[in-house]
mmCIF file of all heavy atoms in Angstrom:
data_model
loop_
_atom_site.group_PDB
_atom_site.id
_atom_site.type_symbol
_atom_site.label_atom_id
_atom_site.label_comp_id
_atom_site.label_asym_id
_atom_site.label_seq_id
_atom_site.Cartn_x
_atom_site.Cartn_y
_atom_site.Cartn_z
ATOM 1 N N PRO A 46 117.098 102.076 120.128
ATOM 2 C CA PRO A 46 116.177 101.049 120.652
ATOM 3 C C PRO A 46 114.624 101.585 120.601
ATOM 4 O O PRO A 46 113.813 100.664 120.665
ATOM 5 C CB PRO A 46 116.632 100.647 121.964
ATOM 6 C CG PRO A 46 117.485 101.842 122.355
ATOM 7 C CD PRO A 46 118.094 102.417 121.240
ATOM 8 N N ARG A 47 114.526 102.833 120.570
ATOM 9 C CA ARG A 47 113.170 103.350 120.646
ATOM 10 C C ARG A 47 112.521 103.441 119.230
ATOM 11 O O ARG A 47 111.326 103.610 119.017
ATOM 12 C CB ARG A 47 113.095 104.937 121.156
ATOM 13 C CG ARG A 47 113.630 104.957 122.613
ATOM 14 C CD ARG A 47 113.872 106.345 122.954
ATOM 15 N NE ARG A 47 114.802 107.132 122.002
ATOM 16 C CZ ARG A 47 114.959 108.413 121.980
ATOM 17 N NH1 ARG A 47 114.379 109.201 122.742
ATOM 18 N NH2 ARG A 47 115.875 108.835 121.024
ATOM 19 N N ARG A 48 113.264 103.153 118.218
ATOM 20 C CA ARG A 48 112.914 103.201 116.853
ATOM 21 C C ARG A 48 113.209 101.845 116.109
ATOM 22 O O ARG A 48 113.879 101.818 115.127
ATOM 23 C CB ARG A 48 113.411 104.357 116.115
ATOM 24 C CG ARG A 48 113.092 105.739 116.555
ATOM 25 C CD ARG A 48 113.613 106.803 115.760
ATOM 26 N NE ARG A 48 114.971 106.958 115.753
ATOM 27 C CZ ARG A 48 115.668 107.713 114.868
ATOM 28 N NH1 ARG A 48 115.079 108.370 113.944
ATOM 29 N NH2 ARG A 48 117.051 107.725 114.960
ATOM 30 N N VAL A 49 112.629 100.696 116.638
ATOM 31 C CA VAL A 49 112.772 99.407 116.072
ATOM 32 C C VAL A 49 111.469 98.874 115.630
ATOM 33 O O VAL A 49 110.418 98.961 116.420
ATOM 34 C CB VAL A 49 113.397 98.412 117.114
ATOM 35 C CG1 VAL A 49 113.557 97.097 116.581
ATOM 36 C CG2 VAL A 49 114.840 98.965 117.606
ATOM 37 N N TYR A 50 111.328 98.494 114.411
ATOM 38 C CA TYR A 50 110.079 98.172 113.823
ATOM 39 C C TYR A 50 110.153 96.791 113.176
ATOM 40 O O TYR A 50 111.223 96.252 112.869
ATOM 41 C CB TYR A 50 109.601 99.216 112.743
ATOM 42 C CG TYR A 50 109.847 100.625 113.272
ATOM 43 C CD1 TYR A 50 110.959 101.398 112.805
ATOM 44 C CD2 TYR A 50 109.050 101.237 114.171
ATOM 45 C CE1 TYR A 50 111.223 102.585 113.277
ATOM 46 C CE2 TYR A 50 109.156 102.494 114.571
ATOM 47 C CZ TYR A 50 110.361 103.313 114.148
ATOM 48 O OH TYR A 50 110.538 104.550 114.617
ATOM 49 N N ILE A 51 108.945 96.232 112.904
ATOM 50 C CA ILE A 51 108.989 94.869 112.228
ATOM 51 C C ILE A 51 107.827 94.752 111.261
ATOM 52 O O ILE A 51 106.732 95.464 111.472
ATOM 53 C CB ILE A 51 108.727 93.742 113.302
ATOM 54 C CG1 ILE A 51 109.097 92.397 112.642
ATOM 55 C CG2 ILE A 51 107.551 93.783 114.005
ATOM 56 C CD1 ILE A 51 109.442 91.284 113.726
ATOM 57 N N ALA A 52 107.988 94.190 110.180
ATOM 58 C CA ALA A 52 107.066 94.074 109.090
ATOM 59 C C ALA A 52 107.180 92.724 108.329
ATOM 60 O O ALA A 52 108.275 92.134 108.385
ATOM 61 C CB ALA A 52 107.103 95.206 108.134
ATOM 62 N N GLY A 53 106.082 92.262 107.723
ATOM 63 C CA GLY A 53 106.279 91.036 106.980
ATOM 64 C C GLY A 53 105.105 90.881 105.894
ATOM 65 O O GLY A 53 104.081 91.509 105.979
ATOM 66 N N LEU A 54 105.323 89.890 105.012
ATOM 67 C CA LEU A 54 104.319 89.526 104.070
ATOM 68 C C LEU A 54 103.755 88.173 104.171
ATOM 69 O O LEU A 54 104.575 87.179 104.504
ATOM 70 C CB LEU A 54 105.010 89.628 102.650
ATOM 71 C CG LEU A 54 104.119 89.068 101.420
ATOM 72 C CD1 LEU A 54 102.947 89.965 101.126
ATOM 73 C CD2 LEU A 54 105.089 88.970 100.247
ATOM 74 N N SER A 55 102.542 87.984 104.148
ATOM 75 C CA SER A 55 101.811 86.708 104.209
ATOM 76 C C SER A 55 102.202 85.977 105.543
ATOM 77 O O SER A 55 101.851 86.408 106.514
ATOM 78 C CB SER A 55 102.268 85.807 102.801
ATOM 79 O OG SER A 55 101.462 84.684 102.700
ATOM 80 N N ALA A 56 102.932 84.672 105.355
ATOM 81 C CA ALA A 56 103.277 84.188 106.634
ATOM 82 C C ALA A 56 104.216 84.985 107.452
ATOM 83 O O ALA A 56 104.256 85.009 108.608
ATOM 84 C CB ALA A 56 104.030 82.708 106.166
ATOM 85 N N GLY A 57 105.142 85.794 106.746
ATOM 86 C CA GLY A 57 105.956 86.791 107.433
ATOM 87 C C GLY A 57 105.040 87.892 108.142
ATOM 88 O O GLY A 57 105.401 88.381 109.213
ATOM 89 N N GLY A 58 104.001 88.296 107.495
ATOM 90 C CA GLY A 58 103.032 89.232 108.019
ATOM 91 C C GLY A 58 102.394 88.686 109.355
ATOM 92 O O GLY A 58 102.324 89.371 110.320
ATOM 93 N N ALA A 59 101.922 87.374 109.259
ATOM 94 C CA ALA A 59 101.277 86.803 110.378
ATOM 95 C C ALA A 59 102.422 86.645 111.532
ATOM 96 O O ALA A 59 102.090 86.732 112.692
ATOM 97 C CB ALA A 59 100.905 85.323 110.053
ATOM 98 N N ALA A 60 103.792 86.283 111.171
ATOM 99 C CA ALA A 60 104.699 86.273 112.186
ATOM 100 C C ALA A 60 105.022 87.618 112.886
ATOM 101 O O ALA A 60 105.334 87.775 113.907
ATOM 102 C CB ALA A 60 105.988 85.688 111.615
ATOM 103 N N ALA A 61 104.900 88.683 111.967
ATOM 104 C CA ALA A 61 105.111 89.991 112.536
ATOM 105 C C ALA A 61 104.142 90.389 113.447
ATOM 106 O O ALA A 61 104.387 90.954 114.531
ATOM 107 C CB ALA A 61 105.079 91.093 111.480
ATOM 108 N N ALA A 62 102.782 89.921 113.258
ATOM 109 C CA ALA A 62 101.717 90.155 114.258
ATOM 110 C C ALA A 62 101.967 89.435 115.475
ATOM 111 O O ALA A 62 101.713 89.879 116.523
ATOM 112 C CB ALA A 62 100.367 89.719 113.505
ATOM 113 N N VAL A 63 102.558 88.219 115.330
ATOM 114 C CA VAL A 63 102.928 87.404 116.599
ATOM 115 C C VAL A 63 104.017 88.241 117.354
ATOM 116 O O VAL A 63 103.905 88.222 118.573
ATOM 117 C CB VAL A 63 103.404 86.051 116.188
ATOM 118 C CG1 VAL A 63 104.060 85.368 117.337
ATOM 119 C CG2 VAL A 63 102.277 85.191 115.689
ATOM 120 N N MET A 64 104.952 88.803 116.654
ATOM 121 C CA MET A 64 106.046 89.476 117.352
ATOM 122 C C MET A 64 105.478 90.793 118.118
ATOM 123 O O MET A 64 105.961 90.984 119.145
ATOM 124 C CB MET A 64 107.143 89.957 116.419
ATOM 125 C CG MET A 64 107.869 88.778 115.706
ATOM 126 S SD MET A 64 108.480 87.524 116.912
ATOM 127 C CE MET A 64 109.722 88.578 117.829
ATOM 128 N N ALA A 65 104.462 91.452 117.449
ATOM 129 C CA ALA A 65 103.938 92.713 118.062
ATOM 130 C C ALA A 65 103.197 92.272 119.288
ATOM 131 O O ALA A 65 103.258 93.019 120.378
ATOM 132 C CB ALA A 65 103.000 93.385 117.087
ATOM 133 N N ALA A 66 102.526 91.153 119.315
ATOM 134 C CA ALA A 66 101.849 90.613 120.449
ATOM 135 C C ALA A 66 102.612 90.055 121.559
ATOM 136 O O ALA A 66 102.409 90.364 122.726
ATOM 137 C CB ALA A 66 100.795 89.551 120.006
ATOM 138 N N THR A 67 103.778 89.522 121.305
ATOM 139 C CA THR A 67 104.669 88.819 122.303
ATOM 140 C C THR A 67 105.761 89.835 122.774
ATOM 141 O O THR A 67 106.303 89.616 123.797
ATOM 142 C CB THR A 67 105.274 87.583 121.726
ATOM 143 O OG1 THR A 67 105.816 87.743 120.449
ATOM 144 C CG2 THR A 67 104.063 86.526 121.521
ATOM 145 N N TYR A 68 106.147 90.769 121.942
ATOM 146 C CA TYR A 68 107.325 91.605 122.199
ATOM 147 C C TYR A 68 106.907 93.084 122.039
ATOM 148 O O TYR A 68 107.564 93.843 121.400
ATOM 149 C CB TYR A 68 108.500 91.312 121.406
ATOM 150 C CG TYR A 68 109.160 89.973 121.797
ATOM 151 C CD1 TYR A 68 108.854 88.774 121.055
ATOM 152 C CD2 TYR A 68 110.151 89.928 122.829
ATOM 153 C CE1 TYR A 68 109.384 87.567 121.528
ATOM 154 C CE2 TYR A 68 110.700 88.634 123.191
ATOM 155 C CZ TYR A 68 110.284 87.484 122.526
ATOM 156 O OH TYR A 68 110.882 86.297 122.899
ATOM 157 N N PRO A 69 105.953 93.507 122.709
ATOM 158 C CA PRO A 69 105.438 94.974 122.480
ATOM 159 C C PRO A 69 106.459 95.968 123.105
ATOM 160 O O PRO A 69 106.436 97.119 122.796
ATOM 161 C CB PRO A 69 104.123 95.078 123.294
ATOM 162 C CG PRO A 69 104.205 93.979 124.265
ATOM 163 C CD PRO A 69 104.923 92.906 123.648
ATOM 164 N N ASP A 70 107.326 95.484 123.981
ATOM 165 C CA ASP A 70 108.454 96.291 124.513
ATOM 166 C C ASP A 70 109.639 96.363 123.572
ATOM 167 O O ASP A 70 110.518 97.250 123.797
ATOM 168 C CB ASP A 70 108.952 95.675 125.859
ATOM 169 C CG ASP A 70 109.268 94.204 125.744
ATOM 170 O OD1 ASP A 70 108.705 93.439 124.854
ATOM 171 O OD2 ASP A 70 110.267 93.835 126.418
ATOM 172 N N LEU A 71 109.680 95.617 122.607
ATOM 173 C CA LEU A 71 110.889 95.568 121.616
ATOM 174 C C LEU A 71 110.620 96.373 120.327
ATOM 175 O O LEU A 71 111.524 97.019 119.895
ATOM 176 C CB LEU A 71 111.378 94.203 121.390
ATOM 177 C CG LEU A 71 112.617 93.963 120.592
ATOM 178 C CD1 LEU A 71 113.781 94.615 121.174
ATOM 179 C CD2 LEU A 71 112.765 92.416 120.204
ATOM 180 N N TYR A 72 109.475 96.229 119.869
ATOM 181 C CA TYR A 72 108.960 96.878 118.652
ATOM 182 C C TYR A 72 108.096 98.035 118.750
ATOM 183 O O TYR A 72 107.090 97.947 119.478
ATOM 184 C CB TYR A 72 108.442 95.913 117.697
ATOM 185 C CG TYR A 72 109.237 94.676 117.406
ATOM 186 C CD1 TYR A 72 109.153 93.417 118.199
ATOM 187 C CD2 TYR A 72 110.355 94.798 116.554
ATOM 188 C CE1 TYR A 72 109.999 92.391 117.825
ATOM 189 C CE2 TYR A 72 111.238 93.819 116.344
ATOM 190 C CZ TYR A 72 111.007 92.460 117.106
ATOM 191 O OH TYR A 72 111.902 91.513 116.911
ATOM 192 N N ALA A 73 108.435 99.249 118.112
ATOM 193 C CA ALA A 73 107.718 100.430 118.408
ATOM 194 C C ALA A 73 106.513 100.498 117.448
ATOM 195 O O ALA A 73 105.510 101.251 117.656
ATOM 196 C CB ALA A 73 108.661 101.732 118.113
ATOM 197 N N ALA A 74 106.362 99.622 116.343
ATOM 198 C CA ALA A 74 105.356 99.624 115.531
ATOM 199 C C ALA A 74 105.539 98.432 114.663
ATOM 200 O O ALA A 74 106.663 97.851 114.423
ATOM 201 C CB ALA A 74 105.218 100.894 114.525
ATOM 202 N N VAL A 75 104.430 97.995 113.926
ATOM 203 C CA VAL A 75 104.448 96.818 112.980
ATOM 204 C C VAL A 75 103.697 96.981 111.834
ATOM 205 O O VAL A 75 102.610 97.762 111.781
ATOM 206 C CB VAL A 75 103.882 95.624 113.871
ATOM 207 C CG1 VAL A 75 102.432 95.818 114.408
ATOM 208 C CG2 VAL A 75 103.896 94.169 113.089
ATOM 209 N N GLY A 76 104.160 96.393 110.710
ATOM 210 C CA GLY A 76 103.523 96.417 109.413
ATOM 211 C C GLY A 76 103.076 95.014 109.049
ATOM 212 O O GLY A 76 103.927 94.121 108.948
ATOM 213 N N VAL A 77 101.806 94.742 108.781
ATOM 214 C CA VAL A 77 101.385 93.362 108.330
ATOM 215 C C VAL A 77 100.791 93.520 106.968
ATOM 216 O O VAL A 77 99.704 94.194 106.694
ATOM 217 C CB VAL A 77 100.400 92.870 109.298
ATOM 218 C CG1 VAL A 77 99.765 91.479 108.926
ATOM 219 C CG2 VAL A 77 100.887 92.869 110.862
ATOM 220 N N HIS A 78 101.387 92.811 106.029
ATOM 221 C CA HIS A 78 100.927 92.844 104.489
ATOM 222 C C HIS A 78 100.474 91.381 104.225
ATOM 223 O O HIS A 78 101.125 90.430 104.286
ATOM 224 C CB HIS A 78 102.136 93.208 103.616
ATOM 225 C CG HIS A 78 101.618 93.743 102.309
ATOM 226 N ND1 HIS A 78 100.746 92.964 101.566
ATOM 227 C CD2 HIS A 78 102.011 94.831 101.621
ATOM 228 C CE1 HIS A 78 100.521 93.689 100.386
ATOM 229 N NE2 HIS A 78 101.312 94.788 100.363
ATOM 230 N N SER A 79 99.183 91.330 103.865
ATOM 231 C CA SER A 79 98.532 90.156 103.454
ATOM 232 C C SER A 79 98.650 89.098 104.491
ATOM 233 O O SER A 79 98.943 87.808 104.058
ATOM 234 C CB SER A 79 99.051 89.701 102.048
ATOM 235 O OG SER A 79 98.962 90.704 101.108
ATOM 236 N N GLY A 80 98.673 89.371 105.676
ATOM 237 C CA GLY A 80 98.864 88.396 106.851
ATOM 238 C C GLY A 80 97.591 87.988 107.615
ATOM 239 O O GLY A 80 96.533 88.274 107.201
ATOM 240 N N LEU A 81 97.850 87.455 108.848
ATOM 241 C CA LEU A 81 96.814 87.112 109.699
ATOM 242 C C LEU A 81 97.027 87.523 111.128
ATOM 243 O O LEU A 81 98.294 87.753 111.432
ATOM 244 C CB LEU A 81 96.608 85.525 109.728
ATOM 245 C CG LEU A 81 96.253 84.831 108.309
ATOM 246 C CD1 LEU A 81 97.559 84.469 107.637
ATOM 247 C CD2 LEU A 81 95.338 83.745 108.455
ATOM 248 N N PRO A 82 96.144 87.670 112.013
ATOM 249 C CA PRO A 82 96.315 88.101 113.232
ATOM 250 C C PRO A 82 97.018 87.049 114.150
ATOM 251 O O PRO A 82 96.955 85.783 113.834
ATOM 252 C CB PRO A 82 94.980 88.428 113.876
ATOM 253 C CG PRO A 82 94.052 87.510 113.095
ATOM 254 C CD PRO A 82 94.628 87.448 111.762
ATOM 255 N N CYS A 83 97.548 87.360 115.201
ATOM 256 C CA CYS A 83 98.177 86.467 116.250
ATOM 257 C C CYS A 83 97.096 85.546 116.840
ATOM 258 O O CYS A 83 96.109 86.080 117.228
ATOM 259 C CB CYS A 83 99.000 87.216 117.268
ATOM 260 S SG CYS A 83 99.622 86.176 118.584
ATOM 261 N N GLY A 84 97.318 84.248 116.837
ATOM 262 C CA GLY A 84 96.297 83.341 117.438
ATOM 263 C C GLY A 84 95.195 83.000 116.587
ATOM 264 O O GLY A 84 94.273 82.357 117.013
#
């Protein structure tokens, strides 16, 4: 559970940014490719 990561492309990248912002206790790092920031 200490090595759980999330990444995405475009809309998936934007969703990955949302997940990092809303679940920082669940994901140890995030990768955003061609996406947008949360909010």
Side-chain angles (χ1 to χ4, degrees):
R47 302 170 299 172
R48 295 188 293 168
V49 177
Y50 315 101
I51 191 163
L54 169 67
S55 194
V63 170
M64 297 306 295
T67 54
Y68 290 92
D70 54 327
L71 184 57
Y72 301 102
V75 59
V77 181
H78 199 312
S79 308
L81 302 96
C83 177

